[in-house]
Amino acid sequence: MNDQFDEFSSLSQLHETTVSHGNGSLTPATPTTTARLQYLIENTPAIIYSSVPTGDFKMTFVSSNALRVLGYHPEEMVADPNFWFDHIHPEDIPQIFSSIAMLFTEGSRTYEYRFKSSNDQYIWMHDMLRLIRDAEGNPIEVVGSLTDITQRKQMEEALQKKGEEQQALIQKLQEAQEQLLQSEKMASVGQLAAGIAHEINNPVGFVNSNMGSLQNYVGTLFNVIEQYDKLFQHIPPASEFHQRLAAIREKADLVFLKDDIEDLVRESMDGLKRVKDIVQSLKDFSHVGEADWQEADIHQGLESTLNIVKNEIKYKANIVKEYGKLPPVKCLISQLNQVFMNLFVNASYAIKDSGVIHVSTGVQNDWVWIKVSDTGSGISPENLKHIFEPFFTTKPIGSGTGLGLSLAYGIIKKHRGKIEVESELGKGTSFTIRLPIHPENAPET
Ligand SMILES: Nc1ncnc2c1ncn2[C@@H]1O[C@H](COP(=O)(O)OP(=O)(O)OP(=O)(O)O)[C@@H](O)[C@H]1O
Ligand SMILES: [Mg+2]
């Protein structure tokens, strides 16, 4: 192509039958060459044109098939000094004008842009421009060829759209698969938890009732001993009977025993209460068979989840709670519990030695918010962009799936809510979940 142009540098000169050689010198063309060039220009599918190499690139020559392709007569195109510039799609102008200066350093440029035809429709054009210089190297003019590439562009667009659709489909599939994986995992964890809760419930039940009886019996027993004690006062201290009884009492350390048995029973009852709470938390957490939407108490969800992860967290983090007053929220509470759990575990993981996990809640208009902040390692801005992506993890290989937050995102989206994150390296991280109280009235997110 370049060689071809070297054969005739200046189209406007064509009529004067001169031809430029590669060195830029203009030599007269033979009548045969002129006729040949004339024929080529008029019969290529492209529009051949020339323009001045300055300003708005006023066109100085346009081949006649401009009429066929664009619907303009070459004369009107040449007559208007701004014709070229004025017909380029406004969105495509910047990419051309930001780089057209390179035409003067490199000698040629190629552009693809939309050009307005006479019926006000934009036609995609492929434009190859070449700068022509005189013998001294000064720019004389620009020669170009415009080819209609609308069809190719349409095909490309269709292909791209298809590609995007495919990509979206793949993503949907991937999400569905993760959800399935996770819900399977959670279902079995939930079932396990519910099973354990049930198994523990029975023995805890009878131990609890026995402890109640024991407490009563111990009370009665000590009462009897007290009565004996009173009788004991009446026995003469010098008698052998008195002395033997006094020795037995001493050995048994009756006073200490009385105090301690009461403590032991009380502590055992406290311990049992805690076991019962944990069992209740396991039940609340698993909510086996409660896959349906229900009005739930978010605080209860937070509490039961905290109870479960407390052991993992307590050596590292102090949990500070600041609960507002929340109305019941229509939600899938067991799924929200999964989200809370992952936030707590992530927060605790981010804390190296010791720190604070702050859990606060509140209401704003028709929404509730739950905020989990930690004083952990924080997340770099680079990583922050990716944390909700499936399989993104900074945990060592084998210890994290990187699914926690992507699932959290999916679950919150299902509730038409939002999950936001703020983080500063070295300072800590805050996740805020916002949930509509009545998701059925909220717009999809
Ligand atoms: N509170 C936090 N502080 C610092 N980094 C966090 C915090 N929460 C999440 N991250 C970062 O986001 C990443 C992704 O978290 P996500 O819960 O999705 O996966 P994970 O915790 O790595 O793995 P999994 O949840 O399967 O155990 C984490 O690896 C970590 O780099
Ligand atoms: Mg996690």
Side-chain angles (χ1 to χ4, degrees), residues 60-309:
T60 47
F61 166 83
V62 180
S63 66
S64 57
N65 54 357
L67 186 61
R68 187 177 50 78
V69 180
L70 294 168
Y72 300 118
H73 288 283
E75 302 82 61
E76 63 175 310
M77 295 173 80
V78 172
D80 178 354
N82 302 316
F83 193 90
W84 182 62
F85 183 76
D86 283 351
H87 287 75
I88 298 171
H89 194 294
E91 284 171 17
D92 298 337
I93 287 175
Q95 56 123 351
I96 299 173
F97 277 77
S98 64
S99 64
I100 194 115
M102 284 159 80
L103 179 62
F104 297 91
T105 53
E106 290 175 7
S108 66
R109 299 290 305 156
T110 304
Y111 291 109
E112 289 186 359
Y113 53 82
R114 285 158 290 180
F115 199 83
K116 190 148 81 178
S117 69
S118 65
N119 59 8
D120 278 347
Q121 289 209 319
Y122 279 103
I123 294 178
W124 269 105
M125 286 291 178
H126 176 92
D127 193 355
M128 275 170 98
L129 304 106
R130 188 174 164 83
L131 183 70
I132 308 299
R133 297 176 188 277
D134 65 14
E136 280 80 46
N138 302 313
I140 312 173
E141 71 173 351
V142 176
V143 194
S145 75
L146 285 166
T147 316
D148 181 353
I149 53 163
T150 307
Q151 235 175 7
R152 192 195 90 201
K153 280 282 177 190
Q154 278 167 349
M155 252 151 68
E156 275 173 9
E157 264 167 37
L159 263 172
Q160 191 178 354
K161 212 170 138 220
K162 234 193 175 67
E164 279 163 12
E165 277 167 11
Q166 247 170 17
Q167 212 54 42
L169 223 71
I170 290 170
Q171 174 144 11
K172 261 199 180 142
L173 258 168
Q174 209 174 17
E175 275 170 20
Q177 195 201 12
E178 283 153 23
Q179 279 277 0
L180 212 73
L181 249 165
Q182 180 70 6
S183 62
E184 245 170 52
K185 197 171 93 186
M186 287 318 290
S188 49
V189 169
Q191 245 156 25
L192 194 75
I196 292 172
H198 181 78
E199 289 300 315
I200 295 176
N201 225 6
N202 266 338
V204 164
F206 67 71
V207 171
N208 193 49
S209 102
N210 291 357
M211 282 308 282
S213 307
L214 200 65
Q215 203 175 25
N216 277 337
Y217 297 165
V218 166
T220 315
L221 263 175
F222 276 106
N223 215 3
V224 171
I225 291 173
E226 219 170 277
Q227 300 303 320
Y228 280 157
D229 254 6
K230 280 185 185 152
L231 291 173
F232 178 63
Q233 313 293 328
H234 299 291
I235 300 169
S239 75
E240 195 204 334
F241 184 57
H242 187 284
Q243 277 170 9
R244 269 176 62 192
L245 262 182
I248 290 171
R249 282 176 56 106
E250 190 101 341
K251 206 169 164 219
D253 203 350
L254 204 63
V255 179
F256 165 79
L257 231 113
K258 186 171 180 271
D259 275 358
D260 206 37
I261 284 184
E262 277 167 7
D263 283 351
L264 288 180
V265 170
R266 197 168 3 93
E267 272 172 28
S268 301
M269 305 270 279
D270 277 357
L272 276 172
K273 164 117 189 13
R274 266 159 59 190
V275 175
K276 273 163 68 187
D277 285 349
I278 291 168
V279 168
Q280 190 55 45
S281 297
L282 280 174
K283 280 182 169 171
D284 287 347
F285 177 77
S286 57
H287 275 266
V288 175
E290 286 182 29
D292 295 334
W293 289 82
Q294 51 178 311
E295 302 236 312
D297 179 353
I298 296 289
H299 289 152
Q300 199 188 327
L302 285 168
E303 283 300 306
S304 65
T305 309
L306 272 172
N307 260 335
I308 285 166
V309 291

Side-chain angles (χ1 to χ4, degrees), residues 369-393:
W369 54 264
I370 303 111
K371 190 169 177 177
V372 178
S373 314
D374 64 67
T375 56
S377 58
I379 306 168
S380 71
E382 179 48 37
N383 285 351
L384 204 59
K385 287 184 247 164
H386 302 292
I387 57 167
F388 292 110
E389 289 168 12
F391 306 115
F392 177 81
T393 181

Side-chain angles (χ1 to χ4, degrees), residues 312-380:
E312 202 169 324
I313 296 176
K314 70 177 172 201
Y315 301 106
K316 279 188 178 177
N318 211 352
I319 299 168
V320 177
K321 292 180 248 180
E322 205 178 311
Y323 291 169
K325 207 169 151 38
L326 296 190
V329 174
K330 187 89 173 277
C331 64
L332 298 162
I333 189 69
S334 58
Q335 296 204 1
L336 288 183
N337 287 347
Q338 288 175 38
V339 175
F340 301 150
M341 172 135 99
N342 187 53
L343 293 188
F344 295 145
V345 173
N346 281 354
S348 141
Y349 191 87
I351 293 170
K352 277 255 140 50
D353 300 311
S354 74
V356 179
I357 299 176
H358 202 266
V359 189
S360 49
T361 62
V363 190
Q364 197 178 28
N365 302 327
D366 295 333
W367 294 67
V368 299
W369 54 264
I370 303 111
K371 190 169 177 177
V372 178
S373 314
D374 64 67
T375 56
S377 58
I379 306 168
S380 71

